[in-house]
């Protein structure tokens, strides 16, 4: 493996020398022409709030690998909760500083695939400032699961990218 690729994979360890846990996060891959989801296993500081830790990683995509989550810089995570198999994510209004159908699909797929990676999560509900999100005219009036998105077929899923051991 070339040295630059090895260095890039080593940057997937975000644990900062603390006790770590792996979290697999889904980003849209720019090398694919934004047509594929790239799952990336990141090493992050250990936390009891694993769903929130995963969402926080979506706010920091590894752009040096041409990966994106569509979530604009400055967006904050107000809350992430889980009840009855539904993960509810409440983000700040900065989410709306971008627009377009590609952006809306990117945010939707990255959030749903990342959170449904956890066994206890079946579907995701996205809120913005406590109200159901509206992305390009589509209101998240109900939770969305992977099965809902697979029927749309917007992205293929690539093999998981892992940190260099």
């Amino acid at each position: 493996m070339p040295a630059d690729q090895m260095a890039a994979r080593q940057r997937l360890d975000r644990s900062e020398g603390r006790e770590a846990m792996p979290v697999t996060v889904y980003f849209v891959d720019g090398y694919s022409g934004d047509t594929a989801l790239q799952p990336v296993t990141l090493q992050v500081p250990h936390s009891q709030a694993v769903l929130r830790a995963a969402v926080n990683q979506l706010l920091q995509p590894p752009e040096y690998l041409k990966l994106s989550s569509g979530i604009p810089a400055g967006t904050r995570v107000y809350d992430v909760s889980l009840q009855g198999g539904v993960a509810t994510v409440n983000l700040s209004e900065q989410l709306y500083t971008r627009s377009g159908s590609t952006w809306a699909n990117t945010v939707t797929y990255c959030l749903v695939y990342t959170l449904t990676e956890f066994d206890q999560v079946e579907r995701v509900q996205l809120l913005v400032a406590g109200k159901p999100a509206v992305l390009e005219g589509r209101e998240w009036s109900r939770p969305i699961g992977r099965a809902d998105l697979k029927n749309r077929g917007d992205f293929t899923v690539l093999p998981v990218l892992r940190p260099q051991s």
Side-chain angles (χ1 to χ4, degrees):
M1 178 179 297
D4 60 335
Q5 286 182 356
M6 285 179 53
R9 284 191 178 203
Q10 289 171 342
R11 291 171 66 186
L12 298 177
D13 184 342
R14 297 177 170 180
S15 64
E16 302 168 352
R18 295 183 277 175
E19 182 183 355
M21 66 179 188
V23 175
T24 299
V25 181
Y26 286 74
F27 298 102
V28 171
D29 179 40
Y31 288 115
S32 72
D34 296 331
T35 62
L37 286 176
Q38 175 64 70
V40 179
T41 299
L42 300 164
Q43 292 295 323
V44 300
H46 187 271
S47 172
Q48 295 297 317
V50 293
L51 298 180
R52 187 180 188 111
V55 173
N56 282 332
Q57 294 307 308
L58 285 171
L59 303 180
Q60 308 167 53
E63 293 172 349
Y64 56 92
L65 294 174
K66 285 193 76 170
L67 299 176
S68 169
S69 67
I71 299 174
T75 302
R76 293 184 318 276
V77 179
Y78 289 147
D79 189 41
V80 179
S81 61
L82 178 65
Q83 185 173 0
V86 176
T88 301
V89 178
N90 188 11
L91 300 178
S92 67
E93 300 84 352
Q94 285 82 359
L95 182 68
Y96 292 144
T97 60
R98 294 195 52 202
S99 62
S101 61
T102 300
W103 161 78
N105 282 339
T106 297
V107 170
T108 299
Y109 275 78
C110 289
L111 274 170
V112 170
Y113 270 73
T114 295
L115 291 172
T116 57
E117 185 72 15
F118 296 92
D119 292 338
Q120 66 270 35
V121 178
E122 298 168 15
R123 296 180 320 265
V124 176
Q125 177 65 55
L126 177 60
L127 306 176
V128 174
K131 298 177 184 167
V134 179
L135 305 181
E136 286 307 299
R138 278 192 200 154
E139 181 179 358
W140 281 53
S141 57
R142 64 176 183 80
I144 298 173
R146 281 192 188 192
D148 299 311
L149 299 178
K150 284 183 181 177
N151 295 333
R152 291 170 47 185
D154 292 324
F155 295 100
T156 58
V157 179
L158 301 171
V160 177
L161 180 62
R162 301 181 191 286
Q164 187 69 29
S165 4

